[in-house]
């Protein structure tokens, strides 16, 4: 890569982080995909690429027998890269606008039952300030359906606990309000009053303003996504739950429970921060699957 392309790549990384609000994992994957693409161009400027050249690249990567999901991500990275180049007026036309990826299979999202969620919550050790913080985090994931990045980025200025509301910033820095259950609010309030200031005793964390991070680590800085994932993994392994549980599984569980209890699809869409209703409709399939299972097990003419 020449110096210009290195600059494009660095600015693209900033674009993904600041404007698109992508996770660090996605940013790393996209940038890696673009580096591979730029190296494949072998001296041809990315600004001079046309649609046929992109098709040639897709044909080239087919030989590596990537999964469909990997190829779809690589296509998404290229499309996003050229959208960025067009937006910053490096190019006049977007050669990737008609570029299509192989259709990815859409398995139903995995989710937890309320019993399984409570089992996880009850096995979080809360006898230390950090342990109590961890309990609050899982309570909020289950109660609000927030993404892990939305939760870790919460500041004090985002809280409106008198109204059981929290402001979050989702993908593309899109702002929305999520609702908090009384139980989750009580845990959060207790965390703010007591546990938070004890997590980093060697640092001045008592003085807060609206931009202060809500969840902190032992050095007083904002808690990172990786730590939250580790906490969940440790609890799940401890209770030997026969499911892979990630922070996003709590989001799926939140949405599934709302749908099963008769929540309007548009309301669920708003709470989850989905751009389109099609992303939310998958939870109706989960609900129907659950209904079929109940019918098959309970009705005399079931299975």
């Amino acid at each position: 890569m020449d110096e210009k392309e290195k600059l494009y790549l660095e600015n693209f990384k900033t674009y993904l982080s600041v404007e698109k609000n992508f996770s660090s994992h996605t940013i790393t994957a996209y940038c890696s995909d673009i580096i591979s693409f730029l190296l494949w161009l072998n001296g041809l400027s990315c600004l001079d690429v046309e649609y046929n050249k992109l098709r040639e690249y897709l044909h080239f990567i087919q030989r590596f027998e990537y999964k469909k999901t990997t190829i779809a991500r690589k296509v998404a990275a290229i499309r996003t890269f050229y959208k960025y180049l067009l937006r910053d007026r490096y190019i006049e036309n977007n050669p990737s606008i008609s570029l299509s990826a192989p259709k990815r299979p859409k398995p139903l999202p995995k989710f937890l039952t309320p019993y399984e969620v409570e089992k996880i919550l009850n096995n979080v050790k809360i006898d230390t300030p950090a342990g109590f913080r961890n309990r609050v985090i899982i309570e909020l994931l289950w109660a609000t359906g927030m993404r892990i990045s939305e939760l870790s980025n919460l500041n004090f200025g985002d809280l409106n606990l008198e109204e059981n509301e929290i402001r979050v910033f989702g993908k593309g820095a899109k702002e929305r309000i999520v609702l908090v259950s009384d139980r989750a609010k009580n845990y959060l309030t207790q965390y703010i009053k007591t546990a938070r200031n004890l997590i980093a005793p060697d640092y001045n964390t008592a003085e807060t303003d609206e931009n202060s991070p809500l969840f902190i680590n032992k050095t007083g800085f904002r808690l990172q996504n990786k730590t939250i994932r580790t906490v969940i993994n440790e609890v799940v392994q401890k209770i030997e739950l026969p499911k892979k549980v990630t922070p996003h599984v709590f989001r799926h569980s939140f949405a599934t429970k709302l749908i099963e209890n008769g929540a309007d699809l548009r309301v669920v869409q708003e709470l989850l921060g989905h751009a389109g209703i099609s992303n939310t409709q998958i939870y109706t399939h989960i609900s129907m699957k659950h209904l079929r299972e109940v019918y098959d097990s309970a009705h005399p003419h079931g299975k």
Side-chain angles (χ1 to χ4, degrees), residues 173-237:
K174 184 179 179 182
E175 178 182 335
R176 76 178 188 281
I177 300 296
V178 298
L179 304 178
V180 186
S181 66
D182 286 337
R183 188 177 84 170
K185 182 180 77 170
N186 291 337
Y187 271 102
L188 179 56
T189 301
Q190 190 174 345
Y191 160 77
I192 293 171
K193 290 181 177 179
T194 57
R196 185 182 183 278
N197 295 335
L198 299 174
I199 290 174
D202 297 332
Y203 298 85
N204 183 18
T205 58
E207 294 182 9
T208 61
D209 58 30
E210 63 178 14
N211 295 315
S212 298
L214 180 60
F215 294 109
I216 58 175
N217 57 27
K218 62 183 180 181
T219 60
F221 288 98
R222 186 181 302 278
L223 194 67
Q224 298 301 304
N225 295 355
K226 183 179 179 181
T227 303
I228 300 174
R229 294 182 189 278
T230 300
V231 167
I232 294 173
N233 287 338
E234 288 177 351
V235 177
V236 171
Q237 289 176 3

Side-chain angles (χ1 to χ4, degrees), residues 1 17 39 49 52 62 76 80 106 153 157 171-172 183 187 194-195 210 212-214 220 264 278 289-290 301:
M1 293 188 297
S17 175
L39 292 174
V49 166
N52 287 339
Q62 294 286 346
T80 306
K106 291 186 177 180
N153 286 328
K171 293 183 177 180
R183 188 177 84 170
Y187 271 102
T194 57
E210 63 178 14
S212 298
L214 180 60
D264 182 85
S278 61
K289 182 173 182 289
H290 173 71
H301 293 164

Side-chain angles (χ1 to χ4, degrees), residues 40-58:
W40 176 83
L41 290 176
N42 195 29
L44 175 65
S45 172
C46 60
L47 305 185
D48 297 328
V49 166
E50 296 182 350
Y51 173 73
N52 287 339
K53 193 66 177 178
L54 295 179
R55 292 294 304 169
E56 183 182 338
Y57 179 67
L58 289 188

Side-chain angles (χ1 to χ4, degrees), residues 72-86:
R73 190 202 67 216
K74 290 179 178 295
V75 171
I78 290 173
R79 287 172 61 92
T80 306
F81 181 62
Y82 276 99
K83 283 181 182 179
Y84 147 73
L85 292 176
L86 181 67

Side-chain angles (χ1 to χ4, degrees), residues 98-110:
S98 299
L99 197 65
S100 59
K103 289 186 177 181
R104 291 180 286 181
K106 291 186 177 180
L108 293 178
K110 294 179 175 60

